[in-house]
Amino acid sequence: MYKIKTYNQISVKGLDRFPRDRYEVASEIGHPIAYLLRSHKLHDEVIPETLRAVARAGAGVNNLPIEAYTQRGIVAFNTPGANANAVKELVLAGLLLGSRGITQGMSYVQTLTDIGDAAAMSKLLEQEKKRFAGQELYGKTLGVVGLGAIGSMVAEMALALDMKVVGFDPALSVEAAWRLPSQVQKMENLQSLLAHADYVSLHVPALESTRHMINRETLQSLRPGATLLNFARDAIVDSAAVVASLDAGQLGQYICDFPEPCLLGRSDVIAMPHIGASTAEAEENCAVMAADQLMDFLHNGNIKNSVNFPPISMARNGGCRITFSNENVSGVLGHVLSVLADNEVNVLDMVNKSREQVAYNIIDVEQSPHDSVIDSIAAVDHVITVRVIA
C-alpha cells in the first residue's frame, strides 16, 4: 500500500486517479512515500525517511527544498503546461485592461451614484469617455520573455490578435522551439527584446539566474511608455526598480499577478491577487498530471517533469525492476552491475540518465533479488537510494 500525504486542497479529479486498493491518500498520514501539494511551503518541514517523491500540482517549485530533496534522492515533480491556458487567458485580460482604460472607466462610473436620471448620465459619459480612450492591440509588438509551455501559447494568442511578436529565451529547448510559431522573431538578448516591444510579458521560472532579471539596468532598455506584464513569479521583477521606472516615465504601465505594498494606489499599476492558475480547469489538470506522474514513478520508476532528476522511462520487460539514484560520479553503475553479476542476477534491460550532480538508473532483472543483494547495492559508494518494484 502506497501512502500519499496531501497538502492544500487537491482537486477530486486528481485524487480519484489513485486506486484505493493500492493507495492510502490523506492529509494526515504516517510514513508517506510521496507528497502531493499545491503551494504549501515545505522548507521547514522535517523530511521523512520514507519519502521518495514530491509532486507539485503547478509549475513553480519555490515552495520546495529542492537541494535537500536531491541530496536525499527524492524526486520532485511539477506540472508544466497544465495551467498554461488559464495563465494565457489572464495575460490576454491584462493586455486588454492595460490598453483600453477599462478599469479606470469602470471605477469612474461607480462614482456617479448621485445622478438619478439615465439620460443625464448618458450625456455626461459621452462628454467624459475621452478620458479613458486607449489603443488597439492590432499591429503592436508583444515581447515574450520565456518561450516554454505558457510563453509559446501567449505568442500564438498575440499572433491571432494580429500583433507582432518577438521572443527571448536563453534556455529554449528543442521541444519548445518546434512548438513555437515561425512568425515569432527571436531576439538575441533581453535588452534587444525590451527595446522592440510595446508590451512585454514575462514567462520564466523563479531561479537564482532569473531573480530580478527585470531591474534598474534592464528597464533602461525599454521602449518609452511600454507596458510590462508579469504573470510568472514575483521574484523575477525588482518592484522598487519598476516603481522608479514608472515615476521616471520610462515604463508606462505595470500589470502583474503579485501585489506588493509599493505598487498599491497607483493609476499606472494593475495588480491582481495571484489568480493566474485559479480556474477549476487548471486545478483539475494540475492535480491529474501530478497524480499520474507520481503513479508512473511509484509503479514503474519512470520520471517525467522532474525539476531535479533527469527525464527517464523504460517499458516493463517482465521480471522485477530495480531503480537507484546516485551521485553523478564515474564507476557507480559498473559497481552495481558487478553486485548483480556476483549474485547471479540476470539483467534483462536497463537505462541510465544523469542531470547535473545526480544520476538515476532503471534495471529490469529476471527475478526478484534477495534482500542481501539490495543491501549490497545500497552500500555501494555514492548510491543515494534504492527501490525494488515488483
Side-chain angles (χ1 to χ4, degrees), residues 41-311:
K41 291 179 171 57
L42 291 173
H43 290 278
D44 297 327
E45 300 265 352
V46 175
I47 301 174
E49 290 295 328
T50 55
L51 193 67
R52 291 292 176 267
V54 176
R56 156 81 162 104
V61 292
N62 53 334
N63 57 321
L64 307 182
I66 300 299
E67 185 175 351
Y69 287 166
T70 305
Q71 293 171 354
R72 296 275 292 270
I74 298 167
V75 181
F77 297 94
N78 68 344
T79 57
N83 61 6
N85 189 72
V87 177
K88 177 203 75 175
E89 291 185 0
L90 198 62
V91 172
L92 173 59
L95 286 168
L96 294 171
L97 290 173
S99 63
R100 296 295 302 273
I102 296 170
T103 56
Q104 298 91 333
M106 291 171 64
S107 296
Y108 171 71
V109 167
Q110 293 302 316
T111 68
L112 306 180
T113 54
D114 59 331
I115 301 178
D117 180 67
M121 180 178 291
S122 177
K123 182 178 180 180
L124 176 64
L125 291 176
E126 282 299 316
Q127 296 172 352
E128 297 295 328
K129 68 180 183 181
K130 60 181 178 293
R131 294 166 50 187
F132 311 109
Q135 60 181 2
E136 297 181 15
L137 296 175
Y138 177 89
K140 303 300 188 298
T141 298
L142 174 67
V144 181
V145 182
L147 298 167
I150 298 175
S152 60
M153 291 181 70
V154 169
E156 289 180 358
M157 175 193 71
L159 291 170
L161 293 170
D162 289 317
M163 298 183 76
K164 301 172 185 176
V165 181
V166 296
F168 170 69
D169 191 332
L172 185 64
S173 67
V174 174
E175 180 183 356
W178 277 104
R179 187 170 57 231
L180 196 64
S182 60
Q183 302 97 311
V184 176
Q185 182 182 355
K186 299 172 190 65
M187 298 286 102
E188 293 298 321
N189 52 57
L190 176 61
Q191 286 76 5
S192 179
L193 179 142
L194 295 176
H196 281 82
D198 301 298
Y199 299 85
V200 177
S201 191
L202 306 175
H203 301 286
V204 296
L207 307 171
E208 191 57 39
S209 59
T210 61
R211 177 176 174 77
H212 286 182
M213 68 182 301
I214 302 298
N215 52 48
R216 289 181 184 274
E217 181 180 355
T218 53
L219 284 168
Q220 292 175 6
S221 299
L222 270 176
R223 177 178 289 184
T227 294
L228 176 66
L229 300 99
N230 179 17
F231 291 90
R233 289 292 167 193
D234 54 352
I236 65 180
V237 172
D238 181 347
S239 56
V242 163
V243 170
S245 186
L246 289 169
D247 289 341
Q250 182 73 20
L251 177 62
Q253 192 170 199
Y254 183 47
I255 302 171
C256 71
D257 207 16
F258 312 99
E260 295 184 45
C262 66
L263 300 175
L264 304 184
R266 300 188 62 106
S267 61
D268 48 12
V269 172
I270 298 175
M272 304 178 193
H274 201 184
I275 56 174
S278 295
T279 67
E281 295 87 348
E283 291 180 7
E284 290 174 356
N285 293 341
C286 287
V288 168
M289 183 184 290
D292 288 350
Q293 290 170 176
L294 269 184
M295 287 191 292
D296 194 21
F297 173 73
L298 295 174
H299 293 174
N300 303 307
N302 295 330
I303 297 176
K304 182 180 181 181
N305 293 328
S306 171
V307 298
N308 63 337
F309 272 71

Side-chain angles (χ1 to χ4, degrees), residues 266-382:
R266 300 188 62 106
S267 61
D268 48 12
V269 172
I270 298 175
M272 304 178 193
H274 201 184
I275 56 174
S278 295
T279 67
E281 295 87 348
E283 291 180 7
E284 290 174 356
N285 293 341
C286 287
V288 168
M289 183 184 290
D292 288 350
Q293 290 170 176
L294 269 184
M295 287 191 292
D296 194 21
F297 173 73
L298 295 174
H299 293 174
N300 303 307
N302 295 330
I303 297 176
K304 182 180 181 181
N305 293 328
S306 171
V307 298
N308 63 337
F309 272 71
I312 184 172
S313 65
M314 187 172 76
R316 298 300 292 260
N317 293 286
C320 180
R321 175 160 288 188
I322 301 170
T323 68
F324 71 93
S325 62
N326 60 276
E327 297 172 14
N328 190 18
V329 298
S330 62
V332 179
L333 178 58
H335 197 159
V336 170
L337 292 175
S338 294
V339 169
L340 295 175
D342 291 345
N343 288 273
E344 299 182 343
V345 178
N346 186 38
V347 174
L348 299 174
D349 203 356
M350 62 167 290
V351 63
N352 160 270
K353 291 290 181 72
S354 63
R355 176 175 180 171
E356 298 175 355
Q357 74 268 34
V358 69
Y360 183 80
N361 312 264
I362 302 174
I363 303 176
D364 280 351
V365 296
E366 200 165 27
Q367 57 191 14
S368 182
H370 194 275
D371 289 346
S372 62
V373 176
I374 301 304
D375 291 340
S376 295
I377 294 175
V380 170
D381 286 344
H382 306 293

